[in-house]
Amino acid sequence: MTEPILEVKNLTVEFKLHDRTIRACDNVSLTVNRGEIVGIIGESGSGKTTLVFGILNLVQAPGEVTAGQVIYHPKGGRPVDLRTLSPEEFARYRWTNLTSVFQAAQNVLNPTLRVKEHFLETVWAHDPNAREEDVLAKARDLLSQVRLEERVLDCYPHQLSGGMKQRTIIALSLILNPDIIFLDEPTTALDVITQWYILEILKRIQKDHGLTMVFCTHDVSIIGSVVDRLGVMYAGELVEYGPVLNMFKKPTHPYTAGLMTAIPSLRDDVTKRKAIPGNPPDLANLPDSCRFAPRCFAHAQGLCEGDRARTGQLYPSHPGQYTRCYSWEKVFKS
Amino acid sequence: MSLIKLENVSVYFQNEKNPRERVGALVGMNLEIEPGEIIAVVGESGCGKTTLGKVITDIYQPTEGRLLYKGKDVRELDKREYREYRLGVQMIHQDSYAALNPNRTIFQSLSLPLLQHKMVKNRQQAWDRLVELFTEIGLTPPEQFLEKYPHQLSGGQRQRILLARALSVKPSLIVADEPVSMVDVSLRISLLDLMARANKKYGISFVYITHDLGTARYIAHHGRIAVMYLGRMVELNQIQAALDRPAHPYFHALISAVPEADPTLRNGRMASLPLKSFDMPSVTNAPPGCKFHPRCPYAEAVCEREEPRLREFEGGLVACHLVEKIRANAPPRD
């Protein structure tokens, strides 16, 4: 059951600016198991998109993956380190094994092509001998799974609404039977009802196809009810990782704890909601301490000195849960 | 006397190529805003909530109906009164980057209205006023922020500056159009708290336009909520009463679609959404009768024929023919 499908080891992505270097993704390690849904949350600039781009080898200049391994375990095959592949070799894995659905679906589809041409192009890029009827039959089937009508195949992107485009892209991402799919803010910019619908579709597809999903978002409430495990990113670092229930009930990093109380919901007591003080960090100007220290309640209360060197690793807290806060026992005692 | 009153306001946008085709962005809207109250306006994109905000601030003029400020038609105000109205009703926009002139420092942008309206005598006084205001809303040290350009600030800081700009002219009403949807989650609550404080301290009324029910409940938990659908108001009630016992079937669906962060509640969610179709009909081609009937699971023949009027129901207003019947057949909520 807990067979790994993807192991990310010490992945570091740097952006070289004229006078300094920004580490948008700093030494991130995480393992994704086959068939599970992993959520990654973080504020804008926390590096969650960069992490996904790093994994999929999509980082563009001036950005560069400077260290780390991305080990992919194909079903019944030998593990490969995706980082060592040439672009041509990587292209074989992209879409057939690893696919992605990005934010702003509006911009992903080519406005001059009909939806069916997107499906055909994608398949032919990997298998030039595929028969058109077969591809379209499969596309129809996938579209019905995301509850779109057949006529969508003959539409141009501008004829579809935002929710329909997003569903089209989800269907498109599945055309080559991938086994891991990366979703980066797939529901941002959509209305709540459409969002609900897309989450429902994703959950069902995950169940039917046994897919593995990595789900990035800034809004914890969207994925709380969907994911199995949750990773929290802050200032380019993974600060906590663990089973979703524990992360909610027993967070062991002050940032995670703060995020959980920062989101207004429809049920709980409004007076208990609290914002995290301060501002998200500037990656070009990071404090020479624990990166969360300037906003941390434990640091402010003097419970923790925020030693940078000791935040260089993750510490096991609860079963299956890891935190970058070395003072977590002191901080979360009460 | 209410501060702002909308009397049967409609806004139609005409198709340039075909003048006979017109789109009802806002239809037959009646709303009174009392001094010191917070009204949340919710709905999906395209429901007319932004148009409503722009009518209240006189950016769009109603095609039909009247807008009254302190009991007088805004079109009949003399120059002095109109100026008072314009100062009294301020707006905060969603995109803080677009709302500030990138070529001007914050001080240049914010001192202009103060000088223009002779609220201060000179630049020094304007500076002092803004320093005082910035300290109050937590932009410290204020001198540093006043001398910066918009691009040097984070989204949360810019949004605070927009709030400061609106507050600087001592308004009696602020229309906030999705003020926190582009702000990081960890900071959203602090902004909402600032608005709630301005509401309490100065008795400023707020019209909070959003698609996020969680933040609407947070800021307006003592206020009212107006639910809009395709340019019409379909429900108006005290917010807590409305959320506990939604009357209109559309609002019911909207509440059910709000994602719940807590993973222990995941089984209740995802069960079903009381909707027949997930896609919103286009405004250019609105259905006859009740605009919601094609998606409504309870719709009967009368809903296709007749457009329901807003009427009293359980202390609030609702536009639905069948609300009593739906309520009688609904399973009791815990």
Side-chain angles (χ1 to χ4, degrees):
Chain A
M1 188 59 215
T2 51
E3 168 203 355
I5 184 165
L6 193 74
E7 288 176 87
V8 180
K9 290 185 181 163
N10 308 95
L11 192 72
T12 301
V13 182
E14 291 185 339
F15 287 82
K16 289 198 172 54
L17 304 182
H18 54 280
D19 55 346
R20 63 203 163 192
T21 306
I22 286 176
R23 275 197 177 180
C25 180
D26 194 352
N27 217 352
V28 173
S29 302
L30 100 164
T31 306
V32 180
N33 294 322
R34 191 172 281 278
E36 74 175 353
I37 311 185
V38 169
I40 293 176
I41 53 170
E43 297 174 83
S44 48
S46 63
K48 50 192 191 310
T49 302
T50 312
L51 170 65
V52 172
F53 274 45
I55 292 170
L56 294 175
N57 207 6
L58 295 172
V59 179
Q60 287 182 342
E64 194 193 340
V65 181
T66 50
Q69 291 175 294
V70 179
I71 297 167
Y72 168 67
H73 299 256
K75 209 168 198 166
R78 293 202 18 240
V80 265
D81 183 356
L82 298 177
R83 296 272 318 121
T84 59
L85 301 178
S86 69
E88 292 75 28
E89 288 171 320
F90 196 100
R92 280 210 301 269
Y93 287 93
R94 196 176 282 142
W95 227 259
T96 46
N97 298 93
L98 307 107
T99 75
S100 51
V101 172
F102 289 126
Q103 191 178 0
Q106 291 80 341
N107 312 332
V108 173
L109 296 170
N110 185 334
T112 63
L113 295 182
R114 288 175 200 272
V115 167
K116 67 174 174 194
E117 290 169 280
H118 287 89
F119 281 96
L120 289 168
E121 267 202 341
T122 310
V123 174
W124 284 336
H126 289 267
D127 175 14
N129 301 320
R131 284 175 53 220
E132 186 167 338
E133 304 90 89
D134 297 345
V135 179
L136 291 182
K138 179 120 195 265
R140 255 178 236 123
D141 178 42
L142 286 169
L143 285 175
S144 76
Q145 287 187 35
V146 297
R147 299 199 207 155
L148 284 172
E149 295 161 31
E150 259 187 67
R151 65 170 182 89
V152 169
L153 280 176
D154 290 313
C155 289
Y156 286 99
H158 74 267
Q159 294 170 302
L160 307 173
S161 73
M164 291 166 87
K165 274 186 232 174
Q166 191 61 281
R167 280 183 270 160
T168 306
I169 289 163
I170 292 171
L172 181 61
S173 73
L174 297 172
I175 188 83
L176 292 171
N177 302 320
D179 43 23
I180 179 162
I181 173 166
F182 293 87
L183 302 139
D184 188 11
E185 304 266 10
T187 63
T188 324
L190 298 175
D191 288 308
V192 271
I193 288 177
T194 321
Q195 170 180 305
W196 181 93
Y197 193 41
I198 287 189
L199 289 178
E200 199 221 36
I201 287 169
L202 286 173
K203 274 193 89 167
R204 216 166 28 82
I205 286 174
Q206 193 263 344
K207 229 158 114 194
D208 295 352
H209 295 240
L211 269 177
T212 308
M213 286 187 183
V214 178
F215 207 128
C216 296
T217 177
H218 68 275
D219 193 347
V220 137
S221 56
I222 293 172
I223 54 174
S225 55
V226 179
V227 300
D228 301 314
R229 286 199 295 155
L230 193 62
V232 180
M233 290 199 69
Y234 187 79
E237 292 178 324
L238 191 69
V239 295
E240 193 170 2
Y241 188 51
V244 65
L245 202 61
N246 272 0
M247 299 284 282
F248 269 85
K249 300 294 175 195
K250 298 184 284 185
T252 51
H253 194 283
Y255 179 63
T256 317
L259 269 187
M260 298 305 172
T261 54
I263 294 152
S265 91
L266 284 187
R267 300 192 199 197
D268 51 11
D269 186 356
V270 278
T271 55
K272 284 203 185 125
R273 302 283 104 181
K274 220 169 58 231
I276 302 176
N279 285 299
D282 176 2
L283 283 177
N285 191 11
L286 286 170
D288 188 27
S289 63
C290 162
R291 289 188 177 163
F292 187 60
R295 301 174 74 187
C296 177
F297 65 87
H299 183 65
Q301 289 167 6
L303 278 172
C304 172
E305 51 293 327
D307 185 359
R308 173 84 190 117
R310 292 173 72 188
T311 61
Q313 63 176 106
L314 286 165
Y315 302 86
S317 50
H318 300 301
Q321 194 173 348
Y322 299 89
T323 175
R324 199 170 285 277
C325 179
Y326 61 87
S327 306
W328 71 271
E329 276 171 305
K330 249 193 295 181
V331 175
F332 293 96
K333 200 167 48 192
S334 46
Chain B
M1 184 175 49
S2 51
L3 190 61
I4 288 279
K5 188 173 181 192
L6 279 82
E7 269 184 3
N8 218 3
V9 167
S10 301
V11 176
Y12 291 99
F13 293 111
Q14 241 159 25
N15 186 334
E16 278 174 19
K17 285 183 198 132
N18 179 6
R20 281 174 59 197
E21 189 186 303
R22 54 180 204 168
V23 176
L26 201 61
V27 179
M29 188 78 175
N30 285 295
L31 184 67
E32 285 188 47
I33 304 164
E34 303 298 331
E37 87 163 329
I38 300 183
I39 297 184
V41 179
V42 299
E44 292 173 87
S45 51
C47 74
K49 53 192 197 297
T50 298
T51 309
L52 173 68
K54 290 190 170 173
V55 165
I56 294 172
T57 45
D58 203 29
I59 294 167
Y60 291 155
Q61 282 73 41
T63 323
E64 287 160 17
R66 298 198 302 163
L67 172 70
L68 301 159
Y69 175 67
K70 292 188 177 165
K72 279 180 101 174
D73 191 331
V74 165
R75 291 279 78 77
E76 285 159 16
L77 297 176
D78 62 34
K79 208 173 166 189
R80 193 187 53 81
E81 288 169 323
Y82 186 71
R83 176 176 275 220
E84 186 206 312
Y85 156 76
R86 260 295 160 84
L87 276 177
V89 179
Q90 291 295 318
M91 190 160 189
I92 299 176
H93 299 271
Q94 174 176 17
D95 186 349
S96 58
Y97 196 66
L100 288 164
N101 187 333
N103 291 321
R104 289 191 173 180
T105 65
I106 301 302
F107 176 70
Q108 285 170 337
S109 284
L110 267 65
S111 62
L112 213 61
L114 296 176
L115 293 163
Q116 177 73 29
H117 290 287
K118 304 203 171 55
M119 305 182 90
V120 291
K121 288 203 183 72
N122 49 42
R123 284 172 50 89
Q124 185 56 44
Q125 276 190 7
W127 179 272
D128 295 342
R129 260 302 290 289
L130 290 171
V131 164
E132 196 184 313
L133 197 61
F134 274 34
T135 317
E136 193 184 322
I137 60 166
L139 287 167
T140 46
E143 293 80 7
Q144 240 185 54
F145 287 100
L146 284 168
E147 278 168 359
K148 281 192 169 155
Y149 287 92
H151 72 267
Q152 295 171 300
L153 302 169
S154 73
Q157 290 166 342
R158 278 197 301 265
Q159 208 67 44
R160 273 172 198 249
I161 284 166
L162 291 191
L163 179 62
R165 177 166 75 178
L167 290 174
S168 68
V169 294
K170 301 202 164 81
S172 41
L173 170 70
I174 293 178
V175 177
D177 188 0
E178 304 260 16
V180 297
S181 63
M182 286 171 68
V183 176
D184 276 322
V185 267
S186 70
L187 303 173
R188 279 186 191 173
I189 291 215
S190 59
L191 263 161
L192 296 175
D193 284 342
L194 278 175
M195 287 193 260
R197 212 164 67 209
N199 166 262
K200 256 201 203 111
K201 193 169 166 192
Y202 304 109
I204 299 171
S205 307
F206 276 87
V207 175
Y208 179 76
I209 299 171
T210 185
H211 65 269
D212 181 354
L213 281 169
T215 59
R217 171 174 178 263
Y218 185 81
I219 189 169
H221 59 278
H222 296 306
R224 293 189 292 166
I225 188 168
V227 185
M228 297 193 55
Y229 187 76
L230 281 188
R232 282 95 175 147
M233 183 153 64
V234 295
E235 187 162 350
L236 179 73
N237 204 347
Q238 296 299 318
I239 195 159
Q240 200 53 52
L243 288 171
D244 290 343
R245 288 176 70 79
H248 198 281
Y250 171 66
F251 191 41
H252 209 148
L254 208 57
I255 291 179
S256 312
V258 173
E260 191 62 55
D262 192 338
T264 50
L265 296 169
R266 69 162 79 189
N267 292 332
R269 185 181 136 61
M270 291 290 174
S272 66
L273 202 59
L275 275 183
K276 272 202 304 208
S277 131
F278 294 93
D279 294 309
M280 186 142 122
S282 113
V283 249
T284 46
N285 193 10
C290 173
K291 300 302 156 216
F292 186 59
H293 85 261
R295 300 172 76 188
C296 182
Y298 309 102
E300 291 179 5
V302 60
C303 305
E304 291 172 37
R305 280 196 316 270
E306 247 178 84
E307 186 161 355
R309 303 174 67 88
L310 267 182
R311 61 198 170 95
E312 274 186 41
F313 179 72
E314 292 182 354
L317 295 172
V318 63
C320 175
H321 292 300
L322 306 168
V323 60
E324 286 87 3
K325 203 163 148 190
I326 294 168
R327 179 70 95 225
N329 295 334
R333 277 173 47 120
D334 47 310

